Amino acid sequence: MIKTIAKATLAVNEVLHIKKSRIQNGTGKQRICIVTGIHGDELEGQYLVWLLEHYLQEHIDQLDGTVDIYPALNPMGIDSITRGIPQFDLDMNRIFPGNPNGTMMEAISASIIEDLQGADICIDIHSSNIYLQELPQIRMSVPTMETLLPYGKLLNVDFIWVHESATVLESTLAHSLNSIGTKTLVVEMGVGMRITQAYGKQLFDGILNLMQALDMWHGEVPAVREPIVSLDGAVEFLNSDAAGIFVPAVSFGTMVQSGDHIGDILNTLDGSIAASIHANCDGLLFTLREYPVVYGGSLLGRILKQTDGKAANAV
């Protein structure tokens, strides 16, 4: 069933519709919400929700509960490949929980919160930007860790990064929902403006695993991985100290050792190597620069530090 959860009148006799697809079967009361498309240049979630909807429709008899899929909270952004809301110069993930009596986008945001509220769990799917590639990971704040971590471990991601609360913006969808008791997990994976099919399939398996744990899915579930869980202090950043073209020398998602050659910054004017980048610790390279043009200070990668084979500060 397709339902419009919010709409607004636009210029030139057009109407903005925010829609969801509801897949429902059986007598189960559990409800899970899958949200993506808040940022129009983050497309990894598009393939995932297609996989999920297609599979659930074909195996509807195995479902006992409700799955609500919100594929495009920012449809104008997706249509125009724009991160924010076109013409309004707004990041949609900075105006929640909205205001039903506010501006057009504040009212739409309030309607979205109202529709999501009360779900047993919500999964908010994001991609990285066009500059960085990310392993499938969940990010959560320290205050929500006790509640959310057991669910996050079921989602088949590689890594769960627990941030200090100061790094989590209060105006995001996830923070707004968690604040009113609707458990919400933020997933980040892949790279902006692209679809990594393997990551979509990986999270698809995780969602089925989570649904099985909620006793709302009675079909087959593939084996899922145990994620590394770490606090902020276990993450080391690799930044460029020169301008040029970054060419990586390692594979993304691999284990590296301190001193390993990560890549080079090339000076295309004189044919020299402006800087050679090396790992500053042992660990998992879970973020790697995708867009090659860099400047001094540009983020090149992130490494999850390892101590005696285990993540430092792991929970």
Side-chain angles (χ1 to χ4, degrees):
M1 178 180 70
I2 308 298
K3 179 183 177 182
T4 296
I5 63 167
K7 66 180 182 178
T9 302
L10 300 174
V12 200
N13 296 319
E14 292 184 323
V15 179
L16 172 64
H17 293 271
I18 311 295
K19 298 181 179 181
K20 74 174 181 182
S21 173
R22 168 162 287 186
I23 305 170
Q24 193 171 35
N25 188 62
T27 59
K29 303 300 183 183
Q30 298 280 17
R31 175 183 170 226
I32 186 171
C33 295
I34 314 297
V35 174
T36 191
I38 289 180
H39 294 132
D41 62 349
E42 298 179 358
L43 304 178
E44 298 282 8
Q46 299 300 303
Y47 181 63
L48 166 67
V49 295
W50 179 85
L51 278 177
L52 189 61
E53 181 148 12
H54 186 74
Y55 188 80
L56 292 179
Q57 296 284 9
E58 288 191 338
H59 300 84
I60 191 68
D61 57 312
Q62 303 296 322
L63 177 65
D64 186 21
T66 301
V67 179
D68 280 341
I69 296 175
Y70 304 72
L73 291 192
N74 179 12
M76 293 192 297
I78 292 177
D79 288 346
S80 60
I81 322 177
T82 304
R83 177 177 175 81
I85 302 167
Q87 300 180 351
F88 295 93
D89 194 27
L90 284 173
D91 184 334
M92 190 174 190
N93 212 25
R94 300 294 182 269
I95 55 177
F96 288 103
N99 181 349
N101 300 312
T103 64
M104 183 185 84
M105 293 314 302
E106 288 176 327
I108 285 177
S109 298
S111 295
I112 291 170
I113 292 290
E114 182 180 6
D115 200 76
L116 290 166
Q117 185 174 0
D120 292 279
I121 193 160
C122 175
I123 303 171
D124 179 18
I125 301 165
H126 292 262
S127 308
S128 185
N129 52 39
I130 64 170
Y131 302 103
L132 301 168
Q133 186 174 10
E134 301 276 5
L135 284 179
Q137 60 196 263
I138 292 172
R139 298 182 182 181
M140 63 182 67
S141 65
V142 171
T144 63
M145 180 176 65
E146 183 177 353
T147 300
L148 297 182
L149 192 56
Y151 297 98
K153 288 182 175 180
L154 298 171
L155 274 179
N156 200 31
V157 296
D158 294 85
F159 176 47
I160 298 178
W161 187 358
V162 183
H163 288 268
E164 295 297 333
S165 58
T167 68
V168 179
L169 297 176
E170 295 183 357
S171 54
T172 61
L173 175 69
H175 185 275
S176 298
L177 287 172
N178 280 313
S179 296
I180 58 175
T182 299
K183 296 181 287 291
T184 303
L185 293 162
V186 176
V187 175
E188 185 158 346
M189 62 183 185
V191 65
M193 297 190 186
R194 298 292 183 272
I195 287 176
T196 310
Q197 293 185 41
Y199 292 167
K201 181 61 168 62
Q202 179 179 335
L203 191 57
F204 165 80
D205 291 344
I207 290 173
L208 290 185
N209 186 54
L210 174 60
M211 290 170 58
Q212 184 184 71
L214 293 173
D215 197 31
M216 60 183 298
W217 177 251
H218 305 298
E220 293 184 3
V221 175
V224 300
R225 66 197 71 195
E226 179 75 17
I228 298 169
V229 184
S230 181
L231 301 175
D232 274 337
V235 175
E236 288 288 332
F237 293 77
L238 296 173
N239 295 93
S240 173
D241 53 7
I245 301 298
F246 175 64
V247 178
V250 294
S251 299
F252 172 63
T254 59
M255 299 297 296
V256 297
Q257 293 183 327
S258 180
D260 281 357
H261 184 209
I262 301 299
D264 294 312
I265 310 297
L266 309 182
N267 186 325
T268 57
L269 181 61
D270 62 13
S272 66
I273 295 177
S276 187
I277 309 302
H278 296 84
N280 49 13
C281 64
D282 299 348
L284 173 67
L285 184 67
F286 71 93
T287 302
L288 186 64
R289 183 83 177 188
E290 175 78 10
Y291 189 76
V293 178
V294 299
Y295 301 94
S298 294
L299 181 63
L300 303 178
R302 299 187 188 98
I303 299 173
L304 175 64
K305 291 191 294 186
Q306 299 274 308
T307 302
D308 296 329
K310 296 182 179 180
N313 294 335
V315 180

